[in-house]
Amino acid sequence: MGLEHRAKWRINIYAWLLLLPSLIFLVLFTFYPVLQTVILSFYQADLGSPEPFFNGGDNYRIMLEDDVFWKVLTNNLWFALGTVPTSIALGLAMALFANKALRGKGFVRTAYFYPTVVPMIAVANIWLFIYTPEYGALSHVMEWFGHGGMNWLGDRTNVMFAMIFMVIWKEAGYFMIFYLAGLQNISKELYESASMDGAKPWTVFRRVTFPLLMPTTMFVLIIAFTNSFKLVDHLVIMTKGGPDNASNLLLYYIYETAFSFWDQGMASALTVVMVVILLLVAAIQFFGLDKKIHYN
Amino acid sequence: MAEVELRRICKTFDRQTVVHEVSALIEPGEFFVLVGPSGCGKSTTLRMIAGLEDISSGELLIGGKQMNHVPPSGRSISMVFQNYALYPHLTVKENILFGLKVRKVDKQEQAKRLAHAAEMLGISQLLQRKPRELSGGQRQRVALGRAIVSQHPICLMDEPLSNLDAKLRGHMRTEIRQLQQELGITMIYVTHDQVEAMTMGDRMMVLRDGQVQQIGRPLDVYNQPANLFVAEFTGSPPMNTVNGTWAGDGSCQGVVIGTGNEKAFLPIGYREGIREGAPVVLGIRPEALQPFAAEPTVGIPDHTASERAGQGKAERAVQGISQLASLAANPVASPAAGSDASAGAITLPVRVEAVEILGSETIVEFALAGARWKAKWNGQWPCRRGEMVRVGFYPGQICLFDPQSGKNLTASESKTIHQNVLQINAI
């Protein structure tokens, strides 16, 4: 009995030792910060309080009364609505084209994927130039149509469209790769069988391709939605959330609250809200859509 | 009912011709098998008939109409694919009805055809299942169901049994053949398995490197192979072949095989059109080589003393074997076991190199004239490696091939004799 117990222990110790290196880093940089964030969200921890102190749900109450929070949340929802379906649809369309393209297949794929591999900061600067009023690339083009003076990033109504457009440009190529992999997993015989039956391309897409790509769509949907809440770098370079918070998004607002206003208690409360929203959306997608998806 | 005609059909991929001038006329209601080793162009030919590949040159006619540029759906053809091509996200019912829905067939008609096909194939209880919940054989049936409900007069099958285990394959062979006969459809069937070709087809076309080697009824192809390739491709084990020289004159003509001490003269008799000294390839089916007890007309010219002694032993061994033959599981099917049957036969003493007893038959391997030969005997023959036995065959069972072109030099003669010695286990 004792011997058996010791042997079991030994196996367990081995397992824990093998897990230890990654476990240390996970605890230090993931689990502990998560826990600390949740705790801190119930504390007042700003520049006015040298020692953080427990203030119950005050941070959450203040947040709900904060107009900027609601503005940022609405912005984020519009941003998600603008980017997620469009970039997914475009990614799928590009994948369908890249999968079919007979000539220059490699070139088409590289061209589509290129925006994804360019560093975020470089992308932001390129688009900053494109959107620059008067001498930016877009202004030059718009001049031909007589609208040369448009200020894309400085205008409250235009700025969100400008950001949405840029993000679609960046994300679609990334999603295309997933769809391309998904398409290549579909047996050619299925298409041949459909063509023997005389199915039109749209029928084939609707009844064969799209249903079989649903696992990919599900995955891409979650990634796209998470990304739409994650945008910070472009905002730092291009708009800083302005003008008048018109392009401010939740994560950038958290960043500002934590590192510009140094209100870490409020930033923690905002973070908890964001994580809860993302979890909720992922859960709805996963448990709602998942039943309709065929996995091989 | 529609006939399918291929007129000098070619397929070229990047200047490489993979199908070379294939011509055939497939009759309505016929079960036509395209057979050949991997890469011989049989699937490509089938896909050209289906319209899934363009025809590089030549003509395809279905029901007398040229179909080269007609899309697959316009050719009145259904197809069963190698991996069945079932839509994994659809149920069996939806899979079977997919084509009918696409063609907007009336709902009542759809239900009628579905019920008929499901009953015919015995899959009525599986209709609500997804393909992944089915076994290989059930998937195969669903794929057949799809072809049945389409009610097209022509059905193409691309190696449909290759993913099934041996037992199920045997079962499905019969089932497919039966189904084809019940429905009266024209079936064009691709396989690399000569057993399928032999057992299922009304006629078969043997292909090699994109070229037609022979078209004919399975038994004609088996008994009168057009060339060495067909001879070696059909039958299991394949035909024994050995290089030799045509020799003799007048009444005593035959083939000299082997060299030096192992030289042997096989008196085959007169064969038209083969000149003295011409190199030939001698071919004989394993089932034509039978055990003999008597020792009349051995043609080994130069016996050494030790060989003679060996031969004495061999006779004893052969006698022993002939006694065993009467005890064997199926001795009746061994036509040459008695001494009466040996009249006119050529017999040779040989040393057994290997034996495979398969239950219903025994495959005996021996070396002769520098080549390994295999003989297939019905029943269970308990001979051992190293034992001497006497094997024999009738001259009429021999095929002679041109070593250069591979062409059969005796194609028309051997037919009757082959039919006489035809055995159930021949294939």
Side-chain angles (χ1 to χ4, degrees), chain B residues 35-68:
Chain B
V35 66
S38 303
C40 71
K42 54 193 188 299
S43 284
T44 311
T45 309
L46 190 81
R47 291 168 62 80
M48 284 194 282
I49 299 173
L52 298 172
E53 296 282 355
D54 291 331
I55 297 168
S56 304
S57 70
E59 258 187 304
L60 169 74
L61 291 97
I62 296 175
K65 283 186 202 143
Q66 210 216 43
M67 289 283 169
N68 287 38

Side-chain angles (χ1 to χ4, degrees), chain A residues 187-200 203-204 206-209 211-212 293-296, chain B residues 47 50 52 72-73 77-79 81-90 98-99 101-103 130 132 146:
Chain A
S187 158
K188 238 178 89 184
E189 279 192 350
L190 296 182
Y191 293 112
E192 290 177 347
S193 174
S195 80
M196 297 289 302
D197 286 326
K200 299 267 184 305
T203 314
V204 174
R206 195 169 53 85
R207 300 209 50 201
V208 181
T209 313
L212 289 176
I293 292 179
H294 166 83
Y295 288 96
N296 260 326
Chain B
R47 291 168 62 80
L52 298 172
S73 56
I77 280 176
S78 58
M79 183 157 173
F81 292 84
Q82 186 170 3
N83 297 315
Y84 319 131
L86 301 181
Y87 303 109
H89 59 295
L90 302 181
F98 185 89
K101 278 190 181 152
V102 165
R103 280 187 276 141
K130 295 264 174 79
R132 68 173 157 189
R146 222 159 41 171

Side-chain angles (χ1 to χ4, degrees), chain B residues 63-271:
Chain B
K65 283 186 202 143
Q66 210 216 43
M67 289 283 169
N68 287 38
H69 304 292
V70 176
S73 56
R75 300 187 181 196
S76 304
I77 280 176
S78 58
M79 183 157 173
V80 176
F81 292 84
Q82 186 170 3
N83 297 315
Y84 319 131
L86 301 181
Y87 303 109
H89 59 295
L90 302 181
T91 62
V92 167
K93 182 181 166 184
E94 290 165 333
N95 260 293
I96 294 178
L97 294 180
F98 185 89
L100 300 189
K101 278 190 181 152
V102 165
R103 280 187 276 141
K104 298 198 170 69
V105 173
D106 175 58
K107 281 252 162 76
Q108 274 187 329
E109 176 66 18
Q110 283 186 22
K112 212 173 89 186
R113 288 194 203 176
L114 174 71
H116 175 242
E119 196 197 339
M120 209 168 183
L121 298 161
I123 52 169
S124 304
Q125 75 287 2
L126 306 175
L127 293 180
Q128 298 309 322
R129 290 209 201 159
K130 295 264 174 79
R132 68 173 157 189
E133 297 162 329
L134 305 177
S135 68
Q138 289 169 334
R139 285 181 203 185
Q140 173 74 72
R141 286 202 179 89
V142 177
L144 285 170
R146 222 159 41 171
I148 294 171
V149 294
S150 72
Q151 294 190 347
H152 288 312
I154 301 161
C155 180
L156 311 182
M157 291 198 169
D158 190 1
E159 308 229 18
L161 305 183
S162 57
N163 289 341
L164 304 180
D165 62 66
K167 198 176 164 197
L168 195 57
R169 212 179 302 156
H171 179 71
M172 289 308 288
R173 273 205 309 255
T174 330
E175 213 162 280
I176 291 174
R177 179 71 168 132
Q178 225 166 16
L179 204 67
Q180 181 262 341
Q181 282 169 338
E182 266 174 51
L183 297 169
I185 53 176
T186 310
M187 184 79 88
I188 307 176
Y189 187 101
V190 160
T191 180
H192 65 271
D193 182 354
Q194 52 97 18
V195 179
E196 279 174 30
M198 295 293 295
T199 52
M200 297 171 85
D202 290 318
R203 278 193 308 150
M204 63 197 264
M205 174 198 272
V206 186
L207 283 160
R208 181 201 191 187
D209 297 335
Q211 286 179 324
V212 178
Q213 302 296 304
Q214 191 170 5
I215 301 177
R217 289 185 300 150
L219 287 184
D220 291 344
V221 172
Y222 186 80
N223 293 333
Q224 296 173 277
N227 55 38
L228 205 51
F229 173 78
V230 178
E232 287 177 335
F233 184 76
T234 51
S236 169
M239 184 182 265
N240 298 298
T241 52
V242 61
N243 287 316
T245 316
W246 188 253
D249 53 64
S251 60
C252 188
Q253 285 190 324
V255 180
V256 178
I257 56 170
T259 51
N261 283 348
E262 289 204 343
K263 211 173 205 177
F265 175 73
L266 307 177
I268 293 166
Y270 177 72
R271 297 284 161 112

